[in-house]
Amino acid sequence: MTSRSNGAVSTKTPDDRIGLDGRVLTKRTSLSIPPGMSINAWRHLGRQIFVISDSSAWWLGDWLIYGQRQYPDRYKRAIQETSLDYQTLRNYAWVARQFPVTRRRSKLSFQHHAEVASLSEPEQDAWLDRAEQGSWSRNELRRQIRASKSPGRLPGEVTHIQMNVIADQKRRWQEAAESAEQDLLAWIVAILDRAATTALESGKQIA
């Protein structure tokens, strides 16, 4: 049993209620929001949920590492008792081992780190730097890594282009990217690639 005196969090079993901000109640399969919640409170709640979701993989990884060190004779049984997929949990632990707490990037997700976990430490840091600076999604990071391995391109070779656009342009581009279910950078790159291909093919036809 776990509880806090201020009533913000109280857990007994997976199906018991857990309070968020003393107003929103959660169960394992539901989220109950009181009527009349302000837009700011609603947005704050969303951020809280996201942080919990995004942090859970790190938490599970660290939990498993601790268990393996402290209870080697009970480690596998503890994993079984969570009813979670064994290989998934082992992957969490493996990624957590590759990144000590001091090397984890709070602005990037666990999945960003998982994408580069098999690389050397200098390569990990280089790619995470690029992902952080470019605000890349996990999928964009994966695409960039794969592209770097293409024939004729040096490993890790990435060219940074800075653009200054007016707010209305960025808004329209963002809406177009969302309609295509892509992050903004990936959408811009795809549009430019198509435009370049069209221009090059037109040039060849004229020549």
Side-chain angles (χ1 to χ4, degrees):
M1 179 186 299
T2 300
S3 63
R4 292 185 183 177
S5 60
N6 60 9
V9 176
S10 176
T11 61
K12 296 180 181 179
T13 70
D15 292 324
D16 282 345
R17 294 182 176 184
I18 303 172
L20 291 176
D21 292 336
R23 295 172 296 171
V24 177
L25 298 177
T26 65
K27 289 187 177 182
R28 186 169 182 169
T29 59
S30 67
L31 177 72
S32 299
I33 303 176
M37 174 175 281
S38 69
I39 182 65
N40 288 335
W42 176 78
R43 291 172 61 185
H44 177 67
L45 173 63
R47 287 195 295 270
Q48 285 183 300
I49 295 171
F50 170 77
V51 168
I52 293 172
S53 174
D54 194 50
S55 301
S56 61
W58 286 121
W59 296 345
L60 284 168
D62 290 337
W63 172 74
L64 288 164
I65 292 172
Y66 180 92
Q68 193 171 39
R69 290 174 179 169
Q70 300 295 321
Y71 319 114
D73 57 332
R74 302 180 183 177
Y75 176 69
K76 291 184 178 180
R77 181 177 177 181
I79 292 178
Q80 293 171 352
E81 290 175 350
T82 65
S83 298
L84 296 173
D85 179 75
Y86 178 80
Q87 188 57 51
T88 297
L89 289 172
R90 291 301 296 268
N91 289 341
Y92 288 159
W94 179 72
V95 174
R97 285 194 190 93
Q98 308 312 306
F99 294 95
V101 175
T102 55
R103 293 187 57 236
R104 298 175 187 177
R105 313 295 181 92
S106 61
K107 294 182 179 179
L108 299 176
S109 71
F110 179 88
Q111 296 304 324
H112 281 88
H113 294 75
E115 288 295 328
V116 302
S118 62
L119 303 177
S120 66
E121 186 170 317
E123 289 179 306
Q124 290 173 354
D125 290 334
W127 280 113
L128 292 178
D129 283 342
R130 293 167 187 147
E132 194 167 5
Q133 293 166 7
S135 299
W136 291 351
S137 66
R138 186 280 303 272
N139 289 341
E140 177 61 16
L141 174 59
R142 177 183 294 177
R143 192 190 71 80
Q144 291 283 350
I145 293 174
R146 287 178 177 174
S148 73
K149 299 177 181 178
S150 299
R153 189 170 183 180
L154 296 176
E157 181 184 5
V158 177
T159 300
H160 295 277
I161 300 176
Q162 184 172 352
M163 299 175 63
N164 295 317
V165 299
I166 62 176
D168 186 57
Q169 283 180 312
K170 182 179 179 181
R171 179 185 58 76
R172 291 174 58 236
W173 295 355
Q174 186 69 59
E175 290 177 355
E178 291 175 355
S179 68
E181 297 184 350
Q182 293 180 307
D183 65 272
L184 180 58
L185 182 58
W187 179 84
I188 291 173
V189 170
I191 293 296
L192 291 176
D193 280 344
R194 287 199 293 269
T197 298
T198 301
L200 291 172
E201 290 177 348
S202 298
K204 290 178 181 178
Q205 292 174 358
I206 294 174

